[in-house]
Amino acid sequence: MKINISSNKTAPLKSITENIDTRYADSLVTVLISKKEGSMTFIAGKPPLCSYCTFILDTSSTHLKDAQFSIDGSFVKQLPYYFNVDEDIELNVHTLSSSVTSIELIHKDMKSNENALRRCECVDVYEEHLTYLKESSQRLTYPVPKASLERVIYESSERMPFEFLEMNVDKQHCRIQRDGDVEEVHLPDNLELPASIVLTEEINRKLNYLCKNTESDVIEFVQQGELLTFKTPETTLTYSLAGVEEFFSKKPLKFTHEKHVVVNFYELKGEVSHCSAEYKTIKKADNAFLYLSGNEAVIAFITPPYEFVHPITVTETCSETKNSESLYRFSLKALLGINISDLTQAASTRLDILKYENGERKLGVYFSLENTLPHRTISIEKDESQLPKVVALLEELNQSQADTNTLNKKQEVQKDLFGYIMGKEEEY
Protein backbone atom coordinates (compact mmCIF):
# COMPACT_ATOMS: atom_id res chain seq x y z
CA MET A 1 0.00 0.00 0.00
CA LYS A 2 1.13 3.51 -0.76
CA ILE A 3 -0.01 5.89 1.99
CA ASN A 4 -0.05 9.66 1.50
CA ILE A 5 -0.92 11.99 4.41
CA SER A 6 -1.35 15.62 3.36
CA SER A 7 1.19 18.11 4.76
CA ASN A 8 -1.57 20.13 6.44
CA LYS A 9 -2.15 17.20 8.81
CA THR A 10 1.32 17.40 10.36
CA ALA A 11 0.16 19.44 13.38
CA PRO A 12 -2.54 16.95 14.50
CA LEU A 13 -0.02 14.14 14.06
CA LYS A 14 2.46 15.97 16.30
CA SER A 15 -0.18 16.30 19.01
CA ILE A 16 -0.32 12.49 19.08
CA THR A 17 3.36 11.67 18.65
CA GLU A 18 4.25 14.13 21.42
CA ASN A 19 2.55 11.76 23.88
CA ILE A 20 4.67 8.76 22.85
CA ASP A 21 6.99 7.94 25.76
CA THR A 22 10.02 6.28 24.19
CA ARG A 23 11.57 5.52 27.59
CA TYR A 24 9.59 2.29 27.52
CA ALA A 25 10.93 -0.48 25.30
CA ASP A 26 7.41 -1.65 24.52
CA SER A 27 6.09 1.80 23.58
CA LEU A 28 3.84 0.89 20.68
CA VAL A 29 1.63 2.83 18.30
CA THR A 30 -1.36 1.05 16.78
CA VAL A 31 -2.27 1.77 13.16
CA LEU A 32 -5.69 1.13 11.61
CA ILE A 33 -6.23 1.44 7.85
CA SER A 34 -9.76 1.53 6.42
CA LYS A 35 -10.18 0.94 2.70
CA LYS A 36 -13.84 2.02 2.77
CA GLU A 37 -13.18 5.27 4.64
CA GLY A 38 -9.86 5.89 2.91
CA SER A 39 -8.43 6.68 6.34
CA MET A 40 -5.53 5.93 8.66
CA THR A 41 -5.74 6.05 12.47
CA PHE A 42 -2.82 6.30 14.91
CA ILE A 43 -3.36 5.29 18.56
CA ALA A 44 -0.54 6.05 21.00
CA GLY A 45 0.10 5.97 24.74
CA LYS A 46 -0.25 3.63 27.67
CA PRO A 47 -3.90 2.94 28.57
CA PRO A 48 -5.78 4.76 29.93
CA LEU A 49 -3.61 7.76 28.95
CA CYS A 50 -3.96 7.29 25.21
CA SER A 51 -4.42 9.59 22.26
CA TYR A 52 -5.48 8.98 18.72
CA CYS A 53 -6.04 10.81 15.46
CA THR A 54 -7.67 9.78 12.18
CA PHE A 55 -6.56 11.13 8.81
CA ILE A 56 -8.47 11.00 5.55
CA LEU A 57 -5.75 9.93 3.17
CA ASP A 58 -4.84 11.88 0.07
CA THR A 59 -6.33 10.53 -3.18
CA SER A 60 -2.82 9.68 -4.37
CA SER A 61 -2.81 6.78 -1.87
CA THR A 62 -3.09 3.45 -3.72
CA HIS A 63 -3.85 -0.25 -3.16
CA LEU A 64 -5.53 0.42 0.20
CA LYS A 65 -6.58 -2.60 2.26
CA ASP A 66 -8.21 -2.97 5.67
CA ALA A 67 -5.41 -3.55 8.14
CA GLN A 68 -4.57 -3.25 11.82
CA PHE A 69 -1.16 -3.64 13.40
CA SER A 70 1.22 -2.02 15.87
CA ILE A 71 4.62 -0.50 15.34
CA ASP A 72 7.53 0.82 17.41
CA GLY A 73 6.69 4.19 18.99
CA SER A 74 10.13 5.71 18.34
CA PHE A 75 9.65 5.27 14.59
CA VAL A 76 6.23 6.95 14.59
CA LYS A 77 7.44 9.75 16.88
CA GLN A 78 9.94 10.78 14.19
CA LEU A 79 7.46 10.76 11.28
CA PRO A 80 6.63 14.51 11.38
CA TYR A 81 10.35 15.32 11.31
CA TYR A 82 11.31 13.10 8.37
CA PHE A 83 9.39 15.39 6.03
CA ASN A 84 9.48 19.13 5.43
CA VAL A 85 6.62 21.27 6.73
CA ASP A 86 5.10 21.68 3.26
CA GLU A 87 5.79 18.08 2.22
CA ASP A 88 3.25 15.24 2.30
CA ILE A 89 4.07 12.23 4.47
CA GLU A 90 4.53 9.28 2.15
CA LEU A 91 4.70 5.72 3.50
CA ASN A 92 4.91 2.32 1.88
CA VAL A 93 3.18 -0.46 3.79
CA HIS A 94 4.40 -3.90 2.74
CA THR A 95 1.97 -6.76 3.23
CA LEU A 96 1.89 -10.52 2.91
CA SER A 97 -1.31 -12.30 2.12
CA SER A 98 -2.39 -12.35 5.76
CA SER A 99 -0.72 -9.45 7.54
CA VAL A 100 1.36 -6.31 7.36
CA THR A 101 5.10 -6.89 7.63
CA SER A 102 6.73 -3.46 7.57
CA ILE A 103 6.43 0.26 6.93
CA GLU A 104 9.09 2.20 5.13
CA LEU A 105 9.74 5.74 3.99
CA ILE A 106 12.33 7.76 2.14
CA HIS A 107 13.86 10.39 4.41
CA LYS A 108 15.18 13.35 2.44
CA ASP A 109 17.97 14.45 4.77
CA MET A 110 18.36 18.19 4.20
CA LYS A 111 21.56 18.35 6.29
CA SER A 112 23.56 15.93 4.18
CA ASN A 113 21.56 16.22 0.92
CA GLU A 114 21.45 12.43 0.88
CA ASN A 115 18.26 10.35 1.06
CA ALA A 116 17.85 7.55 3.61
CA LEU A 117 15.63 4.50 3.56
CA ARG A 118 13.95 3.94 6.93
CA ARG A 119 12.00 0.70 7.43
CA CYS A 120 10.36 -0.66 10.59
CA GLU A 121 8.85 -4.10 11.09
CA CYS A 122 5.30 -4.34 12.40
CA VAL A 123 3.91 -6.53 15.20
CA ASP A 124 0.49 -7.88 16.10
CA VAL A 125 -2.06 -5.26 17.05
CA TYR A 126 -1.98 -4.03 20.66
CA GLU A 127 -5.43 -5.04 21.87
CA GLU A 128 -5.59 -2.50 24.69
CA HIS A 129 -5.41 0.30 22.12
CA LEU A 130 -8.46 -1.14 20.38
CA THR A 131 -10.26 -1.29 23.74
CA TYR A 132 -9.41 2.37 24.40
CA LEU A 133 -10.70 3.35 20.96
CA LYS A 134 -14.00 1.54 21.53
CA GLU A 135 -14.53 2.97 25.02
CA SER A 136 -13.60 6.46 23.86
CA SER A 137 -16.19 6.39 21.09
CA GLN A 138 -18.88 5.47 23.66
CA ARG A 139 -17.87 8.10 26.22
CA LEU A 140 -20.36 10.94 26.78
CA THR A 141 -18.68 14.29 26.25
CA TYR A 142 -19.63 17.95 26.52
CA PRO A 143 -19.34 20.04 23.35
CA VAL A 144 -18.00 23.53 23.93
CA PRO A 145 -17.17 26.34 21.49
CA LYS A 146 -13.45 26.54 20.84
CA ALA A 147 -13.63 30.24 21.71
CA SER A 148 -14.74 29.35 25.26
CA LEU A 149 -11.81 26.98 25.71
CA GLU A 150 -9.46 29.65 24.38
CA ARG A 151 -10.83 31.92 27.10
CA VAL A 152 -10.17 29.17 29.66
CA ILE A 153 -6.58 28.91 28.41
CA TYR A 154 -6.13 32.69 28.67
CA GLU A 155 -7.60 32.94 32.18
CA SER A 156 -5.60 29.98 33.49
CA SER A 157 -2.38 31.24 31.90
CA GLU A 158 -2.88 34.53 33.76
CA ARG A 159 -2.91 32.55 37.03
CA MET A 160 0.24 30.50 36.45
CA PRO A 161 2.03 28.88 38.10
CA PHE A 162 -0.37 26.34 39.58
CA GLU A 163 -0.61 22.63 40.27
CA PHE A 164 -4.37 22.44 39.68
CA LEU A 165 -6.90 25.01 38.50
CA GLU A 166 -10.63 24.28 38.60
CA MET A 167 -13.27 26.36 36.90
CA ASN A 168 -16.46 25.28 38.65
CA VAL A 169 -19.62 26.33 36.82
CA ASP A 170 -21.96 25.16 39.60
CA LYS A 171 -20.31 27.13 42.40
CA GLN A 172 -19.13 29.91 40.06
CA HIS A 173 -15.66 29.89 41.49
CA CYS A 174 -12.12 29.33 40.31
CA ARG A 175 -9.98 27.25 42.69
CA ILE A 176 -6.19 27.39 42.33
CA GLN A 177 -3.64 25.18 44.06
CA ARG A 178 -0.11 26.52 44.40
CA ASP A 179 2.60 24.99 46.56
CA GLY A 180 -0.02 22.66 48.02
CA ASP A 181 -2.33 25.46 49.20
CA VAL A 182 -5.75 26.20 47.69
CA GLU A 183 -7.26 29.62 47.07
CA GLU A 184 -10.60 30.66 45.58
CA VAL A 185 -11.71 33.59 43.45
CA HIS A 186 -14.91 34.27 41.53
CA LEU A 187 -15.22 32.64 38.12
CA PRO A 188 -14.21 35.12 35.39
CA ASP A 189 -17.16 37.09 34.01
CA ASN A 190 -18.88 35.89 30.83
CA LEU A 191 -17.06 32.56 30.84
CA GLU A 192 -19.61 29.98 29.72
CA LEU A 193 -18.86 26.26 30.04
CA PRO A 194 -21.27 23.31 29.90
CA ALA A 195 -19.45 21.60 32.78
CA SER A 196 -16.66 22.22 35.27
CA ILE A 197 -13.10 21.64 34.15
CA VAL A 198 -9.80 21.04 35.96
CA LEU A 199 -6.43 21.76 34.37
CA THR A 200 -2.77 21.37 35.16
CA GLU A 201 -0.14 23.60 33.56
CA GLU A 202 0.87 20.78 31.21
CA ILE A 203 -2.72 20.13 30.12
CA ASN A 204 -3.22 23.86 29.63
CA ARG A 205 -0.24 23.96 27.27
CA LYS A 206 -1.41 20.95 25.27
CA LEU A 207 -4.98 22.24 25.08
CA ASN A 208 -3.62 25.49 23.67
CA TYR A 209 -1.80 23.51 20.96
CA LEU A 210 -4.96 21.54 20.20
CA CYS A 211 -7.05 24.72 19.81
CA LYS A 212 -4.51 26.28 17.47
CA ASN A 213 -4.32 23.22 15.24
CA THR A 214 -7.92 22.20 14.75
CA GLU A 215 -10.20 23.65 12.11
CA SER A 216 -13.28 22.75 14.14
CA ASP A 217 -15.18 25.48 16.00
CA VAL A 218 -16.28 22.96 18.65
CA ILE A 219 -14.18 20.82 20.99
CA GLU A 220 -15.64 18.12 23.24
CA PHE A 221 -14.35 17.29 26.70
CA VAL A 222 -15.17 15.09 29.66
CA GLN A 223 -13.57 14.49 33.04
CA GLN A 224 -13.90 11.06 34.61
CA GLY A 225 -12.11 10.75 37.95
CA GLU A 226 -8.44 11.41 37.30
CA LEU A 227 -8.78 11.39 33.51
CA LEU A 228 -9.52 14.36 31.27
CA THR A 229 -10.34 13.78 27.59
CA PHE A 230 -10.56 16.28 24.71
CA LYS A 231 -11.97 15.48 21.28
CA THR A 232 -11.91 17.20 17.92
CA PRO A 233 -13.11 15.66 14.64
CA GLU A 234 -9.52 14.56 13.97
CA THR A 235 -8.04 13.93 17.40
CA THR A 236 -8.79 12.50 20.84
CA LEU A 237 -6.41 13.16 23.75
CA THR A 238 -6.62 11.78 27.30
CA TYR A 239 -4.55 13.28 30.12
CA SER A 240 -3.88 12.44 33.76
CA LEU A 241 -5.24 14.47 36.66
CA ALA A 242 -3.48 12.37 39.28
CA GLY A 243 -3.99 13.93 42.70
CA VAL A 244 -7.17 15.79 41.76
CA GLU A 245 -9.26 14.06 44.43
CA GLU A 246 -6.95 15.40 47.13
CA PHE A 247 -7.22 18.82 45.49
CA PHE A 248 -11.03 18.64 45.68
CA SER A 249 -10.90 17.72 49.38
CA LYS A 250 -8.72 20.67 50.35
CA LYS A 251 -10.34 23.73 51.88
CA PRO A 252 -9.01 27.16 51.00
CA LEU A 253 -6.92 28.61 53.82
CA LYS A 254 -8.06 32.04 54.94
CA PHE A 255 -5.37 34.66 55.36
CA THR A 256 -4.94 38.28 56.31
CA HIS A 257 -2.57 40.83 54.78
CA GLU A 258 -0.08 41.56 57.54
CA LYS A 259 2.15 43.81 55.46
CA HIS A 260 1.96 45.27 51.98
CA VAL A 261 4.70 46.94 50.00
CA VAL A 262 5.48 47.66 46.34
CA VAL A 263 9.18 47.34 45.52
CA ASN A 264 11.59 47.02 42.63
CA PHE A 265 11.86 43.24 42.30
CA TYR A 266 14.95 43.55 40.06
CA GLU A 267 16.83 45.13 42.98
CA LEU A 268 15.52 42.66 45.53
CA LYS A 269 16.32 39.55 43.52
CA GLY A 270 19.60 41.05 42.32
CA GLU A 271 20.89 41.45 45.89
CA VAL A 272 19.81 37.95 46.87
CA SER A 273 21.33 36.51 43.68
CA HIS A 274 24.62 38.37 44.23
CA CYS A 275 25.08 37.21 47.82
CA SER A 276 24.08 33.64 46.96
CA ALA A 277 26.49 33.47 44.01
CA GLU A 278 29.50 35.22 45.57
CA TYR A 279 29.41 34.04 49.20
CA LYS A 280 29.41 30.28 49.72
CA THR A 281 28.73 30.60 53.44
CA ILE A 282 25.57 32.64 52.77
CA LYS A 283 24.44 30.24 50.04
CA LYS A 284 24.93 27.24 52.33
CA ALA A 285 23.05 28.88 55.22
CA ASP A 286 20.17 29.69 52.82
CA ASN A 287 18.87 32.41 55.15
CA ALA A 288 18.01 35.99 54.28
CA PHE A 289 15.98 38.64 56.07
CA LEU A 290 13.35 41.06 54.82
CA TYR A 291 13.03 44.18 56.98
CA LEU A 292 9.86 46.25 56.59
CA SER A 293 9.16 49.53 58.35
CA GLY A 294 6.94 52.33 57.07
CA ASN A 295 8.22 53.13 53.60
CA GLU A 296 11.42 51.11 54.03
CA ALA A 297 12.24 47.65 52.65
CA VAL A 298 15.64 46.12 53.27
CA ILE A 299 17.32 42.82 52.43
CA ALA A 300 19.70 41.73 55.18
CA PHE A 301 22.15 38.89 55.67
CA ILE A 302 23.36 38.08 59.19
CA THR A 303 25.59 35.07 58.52
CA PRO A 304 28.97 35.18 60.32
CA PRO A 305 31.38 36.55 59.36
CA TYR A 306 29.08 38.67 57.17
CA GLU A 307 26.61 41.42 58.09
CA PHE A 308 24.96 43.01 55.04
CA VAL A 309 22.00 45.37 54.67
CA HIS A 310 20.75 46.59 51.30
CA PRO A 311 17.72 48.95 51.06
CA ILE A 312 15.32 48.23 48.20
CA THR A 313 13.46 50.98 46.34
CA VAL A 314 9.87 51.25 47.64
CA THR A 315 7.22 52.87 45.46
CA GLU A 316 4.16 52.23 47.63
CA THR A 317 3.28 50.98 51.10
CA CYS A 318 -0.09 50.57 52.79
CA SER A 319 0.51 48.52 55.91
CA GLU A 320 -2.03 49.13 58.64
CA THR A 321 0.70 50.15 61.07
CA LYS A 322 3.11 51.97 58.80
CA ASN A 323 5.71 52.80 61.44
CA SER A 324 6.01 49.33 62.94
CA GLU A 325 9.24 47.45 62.34
CA SER A 326 9.13 43.80 61.31
CA LEU A 327 11.79 41.30 60.31
CA TYR A 328 11.07 38.13 58.34
CA ARG A 329 13.36 35.23 57.45
CA PHE A 330 13.13 33.41 54.11
CA SER A 331 15.03 30.96 51.91
CA LEU A 332 17.34 32.33 49.21
CA LYS A 333 16.64 29.33 46.97
CA ALA A 334 12.87 29.83 47.23
CA LEU A 335 13.01 33.49 46.24
CA LEU A 336 15.49 32.88 43.41
CA GLY A 337 13.02 30.34 42.02
CA ILE A 338 10.66 33.19 41.11
CA ASN A 339 11.31 34.29 37.54
CA ILE A 340 11.38 38.03 36.92
CA SER A 341 10.29 37.36 33.33
CA ASP A 342 6.97 36.07 34.71
CA LEU A 343 6.15 39.48 36.21
CA THR A 344 4.57 42.20 34.08
CA GLN A 345 5.70 45.02 36.37
CA ALA A 346 8.96 43.81 37.93
CA ALA A 347 10.10 47.41 38.50
CA SER A 348 7.07 47.86 40.80
CA THR A 349 6.14 44.46 42.19
CA ARG A 350 3.61 44.05 44.96
CA LEU A 351 4.75 41.97 47.94
CA ASP A 352 2.37 40.94 50.70
CA ILE A 353 3.10 39.20 53.97
CA LEU A 354 0.17 36.78 54.16
CA LYS A 355 -0.71 35.34 57.55
CA TYR A 356 -2.86 32.19 57.32
CA GLU A 357 -5.36 30.97 59.86
CA ASN A 358 -3.02 28.09 60.81
CA GLY A 359 -0.35 30.62 61.85
CA GLU A 360 1.86 30.08 58.81
CA ARG A 361 3.16 33.09 56.89
CA LYS A 362 3.97 33.39 53.21
CA LEU A 363 5.47 36.07 51.05
CA GLY A 364 3.06 36.70 48.19
CA VAL A 365 4.57 37.98 44.94
CA TYR A 366 1.97 39.38 42.56
CA PHE A 367 2.00 39.13 38.75
CA SER A 368 0.72 42.70 38.52
CA LEU A 369 -0.63 45.34 40.88
CA GLU A 370 -4.19 44.58 39.79
CA ASN A 371 -4.20 40.89 40.76
CA THR A 372 -6.15 39.79 43.83
CA LEU A 373 -4.19 36.57 44.33
CA PRO A 374 -0.40 36.24 44.41
CA HIS A 375 1.44 34.92 41.36
CA ARG A 376 3.83 32.96 43.57
CA THR A 377 4.20 32.41 47.29
CA ILE A 378 7.18 31.29 49.33
CA SER A 379 7.33 30.41 53.01
CA ILE A 380 8.47 33.24 55.26
CA GLU A 381 8.80 33.39 59.06
CA LYS A 382 8.61 36.31 61.41
CA ASP A 383 11.97 36.23 63.18
CA GLU A 384 12.89 39.35 65.11
CA SER A 385 15.85 37.82 66.93
CA GLN A 386 18.15 39.79 64.62
CA LEU A 387 15.98 42.93 64.50
CA PRO A 388 18.26 45.01 66.81
CA LYS A 389 21.27 44.03 64.70
CA VAL A 390 19.56 44.98 61.42
CA VAL A 391 18.32 48.29 62.86
CA ALA A 392 21.83 49.09 64.11
CA LEU A 393 23.34 48.31 60.70
CA LEU A 394 20.75 50.53 59.02
CA GLU A 395 21.53 53.38 61.41
CA GLU A 396 25.24 53.01 60.58
CA LEU A 397 24.44 53.05 56.85
CA ASN A 398 22.19 56.09 57.19
CA GLN A 399 24.75 57.93 59.32
CA SER A 400 27.49 57.12 56.84
CA GLN A 401 25.36 58.43 53.98
CA ALA A 402 24.46 61.53 55.99
CA ASP A 403 28.15 62.21 56.73
CA THR A 404 28.98 61.74 53.05
CA ASN A 405 26.19 64.10 52.02
CA THR A 406 27.38 66.72 54.54
CA LEU A 407 30.94 66.41 53.29
CA ASN A 408 29.84 66.70 49.67
CA LYS A 409 27.73 69.74 50.48
CA LYS A 410 30.66 71.34 52.33
CA GLN A 411 32.95 70.68 49.37
CA GLU A 412 30.39 72.22 47.02
CA VAL A 413 30.21 75.36 49.19
CA GLN A 414 33.99 75.60 49.28
CA LYS A 415 34.15 75.12 45.52
CA ASP A 416 31.58 77.86 44.96
CA LEU A 417 33.42 80.16 47.39
CA PHE A 418 36.75 79.50 45.69
CA GLY A 419 35.16 80.25 42.33
CA TYR A 420 33.73 83.47 43.68
CA ILE A 421 37.11 84.62 45.09
CA MET A 422 38.94 83.76 41.86
CA GLY A 423 36.35 85.70 39.95
CA LYS A 424 36.86 88.77 42.16
CA GLU A 425 40.63 88.58 41.74
CA GLU A 426 40.25 88.58 37.99
CA GLU A 427 38.19 91.76 38.24
CA TYR A 428 41.14 93.49 39.85
Side-chain angles (χ1 to χ4, degrees):
M1 288 182 277
K2 179 184 175 183
I3 302 294
N4 191 317
I5 301 174
S6 178
S7 60
N8 61 13
K9 300 298 183 183
T10 303
L13 181 59
K14 280 185 179 180
S15 68
I16 299 301
T17 58
E18 188 183 57
N19 292 332
I20 299 174
D21 193 341
T22 55
R23 292 176 298 176
Y24 299 100
D26 59 346
S27 177
L28 296 174
V29 173
T30 295
V31 179
L32 308 178
I33 300 174
S34 170
K35 178 181 179 180
K36 179 181 178 181
E37 301 294 335
S39 66
M40 189 175 194
T41 298
F42 291 90
I43 312 169
K46 287 281 187 180
L49 301 180
C50 293
S51 305
Y52 73 88
C53 59
T54 300
F55 304 104
I56 300 300
L57 300 175
D58 191 82
T59 54
S60 60
S61 302
T62 60
H63 302 97
L64 294 182
K65 298 178 183 178
D66 290 336
Q68 57 181 33
F69 54 91
S70 293
I71 193 170
D72 175 60
S74 296
F75 183 78
V76 178
K77 195 175 183 73
Q78 293 303 313
L79 285 183
Y81 307 101
Y82 283 149
F83 300 88
N84 294 328
V85 176
D86 56 351
E87 186 180 9
D88 292 350
I89 295 176
E90 296 182 359
L91 307 171
N92 285 309
V93 181
H94 296 291
T95 62
L96 295 176
S97 56
S98 59
S99 63
V100 174
T101 60
S102 65
I103 290 181
E104 70 178 32
L105 59 88
I106 300 298
H107 173 202
K108 299 174 184 177
D109 192 344
M110 302 304 292
K111 294 181 180 179
S112 66
N113 294 319
E114 296 289 344
N115 293 342
L117 171 65
R118 304 197 185 276
R119 179 182 294 152
C120 185
E121 293 186 1
C122 305
V123 297
D124 292 340
V125 68
Y126 183 34
E127 292 291 342
E128 290 191 44
H129 276 165
L130 300 182
T131 301
Y132 170 82
L133 186 64
K134 180 180 179 181
E135 291 178 349
S136 178
S137 64
Q138 298 172 346
R139 191 172 294 147
L140 177 64
T141 56
Y142 299 98
V144 57
K146 182 171 71 171
S148 295
L149 283 182
E150 288 172 335
R151 174 80 185 282
V152 168
I153 293 166
Y154 170 79
E155 294 290 348
S156 58
S157 298
E158 288 289 293
R159 289 166 170 78
M160 286 184 179
F162 57 82
E163 289 130 29
F164 290 103
L165 183 145
E166 177 198 24
M167 294 193 175
N168 191 305
V169 296
D170 297 322
K171 298 180 180 179
Q172 284 294 295
H173 69 209
C174 180
R175 300 178 85 239
I176 305 112
Q177 178 175 307
R178 296 189 186 97
D179 303 317
D181 294 329
V182 174
E183 297 167 329
E184 283 185 3
V185 292
H186 193 270
L187 198 68
D189 294 336
N190 304 318
L191 177 57
E192 296 182 3
L193 291 171
S196 301
I197 189 171
V198 179
L199 301 174
T200 63
E201 283 193 26
E202 179 68 8
I203 293 175
N204 184 69
R205 182 183 68 80
K206 292 183 176 180
L207 177 58
N208 187 34
Y209 184 86
L210 181 67
C211 287
K212 288 180 178 179
N213 292 286
T214 182
E215 297 177 358
S216 175
D217 291 330
V218 174
I219 295 176
E220 300 175 49
F221 79 92
V222 63
Q223 182 188 332
Q224 292 180 313
E226 294 188 341
L227 299 177
L228 179 62
T229 299
F230 294 101
K231 285 186 177 184
T232 69
E234 314 94 354
T235 308
T236 295
L237 307 168
T238 298
Y239 300 114
S240 171
L241 287 172
V244 73
E245 295 301 330
E246 183 182 355
F247 165 63
F248 285 147
S249 66
K250 286 185 176 181
K251 294 182 178 179
L253 286 175
K254 296 180 181 179
F255 60 81
T256 56
H257 297 265
E258 187 171 85
K259 292 276 187 177
H260 166 104
V261 67
V262 177
V263 302
N264 187 318
F265 200 72
Y266 290 110
E267 291 182 19
L268 189 154
K269 191 174 181 181
E271 171 65 4
V272 174
S273 179
H274 166 74
C275 292
S276 176
E278 304 301 332
Y279 298 91
K280 292 182 179 179
T281 302
I282 290 177
K283 182 177 181 179
K284 185 177 180 181
D286 195 31
N287 272 324
F289 291 94
L290 174 63
Y291 170 85
L292 296 175
S293 175
N295 61 351
E296 280 189 293
V298 176
I299 294 296
F301 295 91
I302 310 297
T303 305
Y306 309 112
E307 294 178 349
F308 299 160
V309 288
H310 188 301
I312 306 299
T313 301
V314 174
T315 58
E316 178 186 330
T317 180
C318 60
S319 302
E320 290 184 6
T321 53
K322 291 187 178 182
N323 297 321
S324 65
E325 297 178 321
S326 298
L327 191 66
Y328 303 91
R329 180 162 50 89
F330 64 90
S331 160
L332 282 70
K333 292 179 182 178
L335 187 123
L336 291 176
I338 301 174
N339 292 324
I340 292 178
S341 60
D342 292 342
L343 306 174
T344 60
Q345 300 164 328
S348 55
T349 300
R350 174 181 168 186
L351 303 180
D352 279 14
I353 303 295
L354 309 174
K355 185 176 181 181
Y356 290 79
E357 56 188 344
N358 61 0
E360 182 182 5
R361 287 182 175 86
K362 290 195 174 186
L363 176 66
V365 182
Y366 289 75
F367 183 78
S368 71
L369 300 181
E370 293 77 26
N371 287 146
T372 56
L373 290 178
H375 169 66
R376 287 289 301 274
T377 61
I378 64 170
S379 294
I380 195 166
E381 298 178 26
K382 194 168 187 177
D383 181 357
E384 299 190 341
S385 61
Q386 297 293 342
L387 183 58
K389 171 67 70 176
V390 172
V391 171
L393 289 170
L394 276 175
E395 288 176 352
E396 287 184 40
L397 176 64
N398 293 334
Q399 185 60 52
S400 175
Q401 289 178 332
D403 292 344
T404 300
N405 291 338
T406 300
L407 179 60
N408 289 339
K409 191 174 292 185
K410 184 177 180 182
Q411 289 174 341
E412 285 294 326
V413 171
Q414 290 175 341
K415 184 178 178 181
D416 291 343
L417 180 60
F418 179 76
Y420 175 77
I421 294 173
M422 292 301 293
K424 288 294 184 181
E425 290 181 350
E426 288 178 2
E427 290 179 7
Y428 292 106

